[in-house]
Amino acid sequence: PEGLPGREETIERYEQITNRRVKNFFYHDVFAIWRLAVVSIRVQINVKLMGYPLPDFDANEYNFERLRNLLTL
């Protein structure tokens, strides 16, 4: 199939190229999503404080949905 490789294939390729084993991938995956959500929330707060209108949709819903799926909540 066309497009980006899957998670396992990407990790395998990274390990081949760097000659290092990927450890604690789940932790880093969850942390990256959480960090992106925090930054996104902060940007939304700053935009609102500057007086600009916020979009009608919740931009963080994607991040929260990914976290729910990863953590099986």
Side-chain angles (χ1 to χ4, degrees), residues 43-65:
V43 167
Q44 288 178 4
I45 290 170
N46 286 340
V47 166
K48 189 175 180 179
L49 289 173
M50 289 188 292
Y52 293 105
L54 292 174
D56 291 336
F57 64 94
D58 184 3
N60 281 310
E61 187 56 37
Y62 172 76
N63 296 324
F64 296 138
E65 184 63 30

Side-chain angles (χ1 to χ4, degrees), residues 11-63:
I11 291 171
E12 183 179 322
R13 182 71 176 137
Y14 175 83
E15 289 177 339
Q16 290 173 349
I17 291 171
T18 62
N19 202 26
R20 297 179 69 186
R21 182 145 165 70
V22 172
K23 299 178 184 176
N24 302 319
F25 186 79
F26 179 75
Y27 167 81
H28 292 288
D29 201 15
V30 170
F31 181 70
I33 297 166
W34 174 81
R35 184 175 55 189
L36 178 60
V38 169
V39 169
S40 181
I41 290 168
R42 188 64 188 157
V43 167
Q44 288 178 4
I45 290 170
N46 286 340
V47 166
K48 189 175 180 179
L49 289 173
M50 289 188 292
Y52 293 105
L54 292 174
D56 291 336
F57 64 94
D58 184 3
N60 281 310
E61 187 56 37
Y62 172 76
N63 296 324

